[in-house]
Structures are given as C-alpha cells and as structure tokens.
Amino acid sequence: RAPARRMRRTAATAAAVACLGAFNLLAPHLPEPRTWGQIAGLALISFPLAALVVAALLPFAGSRPAALAAAAAAGAALAGLLIAAGLAGTPATLAKLVAATCAGFALAVLLRTPVELAGIALLVAAVDAASVAAGPTHVIVEHHADVLDTFTLAFHPIGSAGAAQIGVSDFVFFALFVAAAGRMGLRRRATWVAMTASFGATAAISYATDATLPALPLLSLGLLLPNADLLWARTRGTGGSPDRESGTSS
C-alpha cells in the first residue's frame, strides 16, 4: 500500500503543478478583461492553483526535515538553471513554488506549540510590513528589478504578458503555517482557504491604493483568525475542545 500511496501523492502533486503551469501559460493569450477582471482572475484562479500545489504536497510534510531541505535545495537549484537558460517565467516559478513549499514544511518542524506559531505569524507580518515600507524589500522593488524577479513567483493576469509577483518567502510561510496548523490540531482547511484568499485581498488592495503592499500581514491573519479561539484557549492553558482541534473542521 505504501508504494501505491506514494504514487497517488506524486500524481496529485504533478497534476496540481501542471494545472498551474498550463493556466499561467494560457492566461496571456486569453481576451483581456478590465483590470478588476484581471485581479479577480488572480484571486480566484491563479493564487488558488498555486495554493493547491502546497495542498498536494502536504502529505509529504511529515517527511524527515533533512529530506525536505534537500528537496527545497534541489528545487532552488532547478529554478536557478531555468533562469540561466532563459526560462525565468512559468517554468522557474513552478520550481520556486515547490522549493518554497518544501522549505516551509522543513521549518514547520521547528515549531512546537500553537503559541510559538502565533508569535512567528505576528513577527513575520511586522517585519514584512517594515521591509516593504522602508527596508530591503522597498530598495529591491525600487532599484533592483532583476533581484526582485529572481526571488518572486510570477503569475500572469488574464490577457496580459505582465506578471503579478508574490515573494518566494510568502509561500515559504504559507507552507509553514498550513503544515504547522495540521500538526498542532488547528483548523488546517479553514487556514488554507483564508490564507489563499489573503493573496487575492492583498492584490486587490494594492491595486485600489496604487501601492506595493506586503503579503505576510494578511497571510498571517489568514492563520490567526480561523484559529483565534483555539489559540486563545492554548494561551490560557485550557487546551480547547479536542473535536474542534482535529484539523478537519472548517
């Protein structure tokens, strides 16, 4: 059964990657809608397809951290080769997404309690906001487009050859949060849905305000809000209700 299960998991991952890749390649050739239609396409199709890759890889989140780190390094190396070969668009984006997911899974093992998870979510949200406002990310966005392209995933809006970019690190934390939520008995499905929606919300607010916005603040809210009662119970030491902490409720 184990080999068959591994084959099914691998096939599911390959299918998720193929769907994202196919849509990302097809999107520029579709009729161009208005800008809000493009934002809707990113929020309802592109970002969920990327998040689906993370979901497809979740069965591997329990692998040994060394194996996950090796997979992340291999994905990053493949992305580097693809960029060097002139395939910096969709092919490199897919490799970076898999690498980021494996890295997030490996890091999730380091967190032991929901309180630690919540603390990391708040910390990275604050750091990301400061970095985009006036820190290293701001400098890269303004003056180093080539560096930005290297460390972001590119999603084509419908009807456009341009790209909406999400940082590789944002998907590292997406994978970390959803894997840790499952291990710690939080609401993994609701967390996945809320965090996926956060990417679309960030894109919409960014367009409406004509400003570059960090993704991690809303991503962190996507972890914290669906699990607020459970996290509060753990903080108070009451543990929460076991049936609500199964990770299967939504």
Side-chain angles (χ1 to χ4, degrees):
R1 291 184 178 180
R5 188 161 53 246
R6 282 195 295 270
M7 288 182 63
R8 287 196 299 270
R9 292 173 178 175
T10 301
T13 300
V17 170
C19 286
L20 173 60
F23 183 76
N24 215 36
L25 291 172
L26 177 64
H29 305 288
L30 296 175
E32 182 178 0
R34 298 193 177 190
T35 302
W36 279 112
Q38 293 180 322
I39 298 294
L42 291 170
L44 299 177
I45 304 175
S46 298
F47 299 156
L49 285 175
L52 192 62
V53 173
V54 180
L57 285 166
L58 263 176
F60 299 100
S63 303
R64 291 180 295 109
L68 291 168
L78 176 59
L81 291 173
L82 290 169
I83 292 171
L87 299 172
T90 297
T93 287
L94 298 177
K96 285 185 278 188
L97 176 58
V98 173
T101 301
C102 292
F105 290 166
L107 292 172
V109 178
L110 301 176
L111 299 178
R112 300 297 180 185
T113 68
V115 174
E116 291 178 354
L117 178 60
I120 289 295
L122 293 172
L123 176 63
V124 299
V127 170
D128 194 33
S131 181
V132 170
T137 303
H138 177 79
V139 174
I140 291 172
V141 169
E142 293 293 326
H143 304 292
H144 302 284
D146 54 338
V147 176
L148 181 68
D149 292 343
T150 299
F151 292 99
T152 57
L153 309 182
F155 300 96
H156 293 300
I158 296 173
S160 173
Q165 295 173 305
I166 295 182
V168 171
S169 61
D170 298 328
F171 270 97
V172 170
F173 285 105
F174 186 107
L176 186 158
F177 291 162
V178 75
R183 285 200 307 109
M184 296 176 184
L186 302 179
R187 299 183 178 94
R188 187 166 67 186
R189 292 179 185 173
T191 298
W192 182 91
V193 170
M195 291 195 304
T196 300
S198 77
F199 287 139
T202 298
I205 297 170
S206 179
Y207 172 68
T209 59
D210 193 25
T212 300
L213 298 179
L216 287 180
L218 288 187
L219 185 74
S220 294
L221 280 180
L223 165 71
L224 297 173
L225 290 182
N227 300 295
D229 58 329
L230 299 180
L231 292 169
W232 178 249
R234 299 288 183 86
T235 302
R236 293 170 59 89
T238 57
S241 172
D243 61 328
R244 299 181 70 186
E245 297 184 44
S246 64
T248 60
S249 60
S250 59

